[in-house]
């Protein structure tokens, strides 16, 4: 539990700004249910076509005959029983990783019965696609549960700090960001801009997104008046994304790379 709460605190901004709908949108699961998926799985089985081919399948090798027996047994089940035993059906066509089996027929039968081979291949591809949707739903369900936990935890955490008049380290950064980005507090940026000639950031690869927002906001002010300001002002950032070791504090090498591009653009304007 401690590891989970630490992770939430390290990525507080992300969790505070995220909604369950964001997860559903990303995974395309907004109107997907477990029952609906199972219904589509069973409904899509070409059962009668398979029944017509089972006799032919039984003339093949040992694995062909075993697959025929398993199909016939599955087809005897009621719909609710098929829902409960759907994994048995999937295993006839897919590996444990949810991928189409390399061989669905013995070679001899596949050569003599191309229609049967096509039938099995087509069903395997359908099931492969279904498994991806099923996995997406499971990921969505777990992710939304964790997001709900995160929101509840952060709410209690904020209440505890407020009751004791405390701020943590991240609060100092986040409140600074909020202050600098507040249109009503532009005078703060004006004061900072008047007293700063140089910005130096060392070990920049370990700077987290909120800290970058502070740097970026001040840097933007630097270059906003560059055309009329006669002062020699510099922005010097040192870092190597390959040496980033502070991911536990929210540092993200991708953000570091993006900021390189953004700040270079500001300086060149």
């Amino acid at each position: 539990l401690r590891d989970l709460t630490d992770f939430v605190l390290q990525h507080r901004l992300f969790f505070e700004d995220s909604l369950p709908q964001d997860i559903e949108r990303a995974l395309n699961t907004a109107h997907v249910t477990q029952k609906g998926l199972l219904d589509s799985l069973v409904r899509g089985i070409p059962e009668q076509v398979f029944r017509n081919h089972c006799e032919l399948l039984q003339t093949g090798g040992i694995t062909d005959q075993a697959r025929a027996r398993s199909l016939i047994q599955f087809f005897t089940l009621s719909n609710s029983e098929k829902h409960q035993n759907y994994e048995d059906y999937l295993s006839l066509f897919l590996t444990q990783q949810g991928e189409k089996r390399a061989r669905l027929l013995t070679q001899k039968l596949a050569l003599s019965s191309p229609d049967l081979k096509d039938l099995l291949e087509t069903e395997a591809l359908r099931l492969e696609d279904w498994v991806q949707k099923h996995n997406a739903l499971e990921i969505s369900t777990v992710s939304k549960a964790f997001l709900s936990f995160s929101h509840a935890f952060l709410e209690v955490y904020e209440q505890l700090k407020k009751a004791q008049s405390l701020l943590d380290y991240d609060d100092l950064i986040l409140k600074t960001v909020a202050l600098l980005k507040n249109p009503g507090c532009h005078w703060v940026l004006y004061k900072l801009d008047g007293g700063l000639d140089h910005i130096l950031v060392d070990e920049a690869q370990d700077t987290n997104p909120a800290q970058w927002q502070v740097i970026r906001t001040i840097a933007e002010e630097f270059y906003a008046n560059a055309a009329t300001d006669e002062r020699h002002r510099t922005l010097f950032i040192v870092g190597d994304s390959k040496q980033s070791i502070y991911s536990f504090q929210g540092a993200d090498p991708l953000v570091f790379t993006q900021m390189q591009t953004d700040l270079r653009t500001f300086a060149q304007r």
Side-chain angles (χ1 to χ4, degrees), residues 1-236:
L1 182 60
R2 177 61 181 272
D3 289 342
L4 288 178
T5 54
D6 285 347
F7 180 82
V8 172
L9 289 176
Q10 291 161 16
H11 302 83
R12 185 191 311 182
L13 284 177
F14 171 80
F15 286 109
E16 288 178 342
D17 294 340
S18 297
L19 297 171
Q21 297 91 313
D22 298 328
I23 297 172
E24 293 175 345
R25 192 179 305 112
L27 295 170
N28 197 25
T29 58
H31 304 291
V32 181
T33 64
Q34 176 75 356
K35 184 180 182 305
L37 277 178
L38 289 174
D39 284 341
S40 70
L41 171 66
V42 173
R43 188 170 55 248
I45 297 174
E47 184 171 330
Q48 189 55 52
V49 180
F50 272 128
R51 286 181 180 274
N52 295 339
H53 284 80
C54 276
E55 184 175 346
L56 176 60
L57 192 57
Q58 289 175 319
T59 65
I62 295 176
T63 55
D64 297 324
Q65 295 171 24
R67 180 171 284 107
R69 289 194 297 271
S70 296
L71 285 171
I72 292 171
Q73 182 179 1
F74 186 80
F75 295 152
T76 63
L77 302 177
S78 65
N79 270 1
S80 61
E81 290 173 330
K82 288 175 181 175
H83 284 195
Q84 295 170 9
N85 296 276
Y86 75 93
E87 290 180 339
D88 293 339
Y89 183 74
L90 293 180
S91 68
L92 298 176
F93 300 87
L94 308 178
T95 64
Q96 290 185 342
Q97 288 71 41
E99 299 172 351
K100 183 175 74 68
R101 290 188 177 278
R103 179 176 294 182
L104 296 169
L105 279 177
T106 55
Q107 187 174 6
K108 181 179 179 180
L109 188 57
L111 291 174
S112 63
S113 307
D115 288 347
L116 177 57
K117 180 178 181 293
D118 289 344
L119 175 63
L120 294 172
E121 293 276 352
T122 299
E123 179 66 350
L125 291 175
R126 183 183 77 90
L127 297 179
E128 199 173 41
D129 180 66
W130 184 90
V131 167
Q132 292 179 3
K133 294 177 181 177
H134 187 263
N135 290 344
L137 179 61
E138 288 190 336
I139 294 170
S140 176
T141 301
V142 173
S143 298
K144 287 190 292 184
F146 184 56
L147 181 61
S148 178
F149 163 81
S150 301
H151 286 170
F153 168 73
L154 289 173
E155 182 177 351
V156 172
Y157 182 65
E158 293 301 319
Q159 291 172 352
L160 290 173
K161 287 190 298 180
K162 186 175 181 180
Q164 300 176 64
S165 300
L166 297 175
L167 294 174
D168 63 18
Y169 176 72
D170 285 338
D171 287 327
L172 302 180
I173 299 172
L174 295 175
K175 290 185 181 299
T176 299
V177 172
L179 177 66
L180 295 178
K181 288 186 172 294
N182 186 340
C185 297
H186 189 74
W187 62 271
V188 176
L189 271 176
Y190 178 78
K191 288 288 186 181
L192 284 174
D193 186 58
L196 289 175
D197 289 330
H198 310 285
I199 299 176
L200 168 63
V201 182
D202 195 13
E203 301 294 348
Q205 74 277 357
D206 295 323
T207 304
N208 67 36
Q211 293 167 335
W212 275 121
Q213 288 186 51
V214 175
I215 298 167
R216 177 174 178 151
T217 304
I218 296 175
E220 284 178 343
E221 197 69 15
F222 255 39
Y223 295 111
N225 305 310
T228 57
D229 197 326
E230 296 181 354
R231 288 177 293 172
H232 178 65
R233 314 181 80 177
T234 61
L235 172 62
F236 192 76

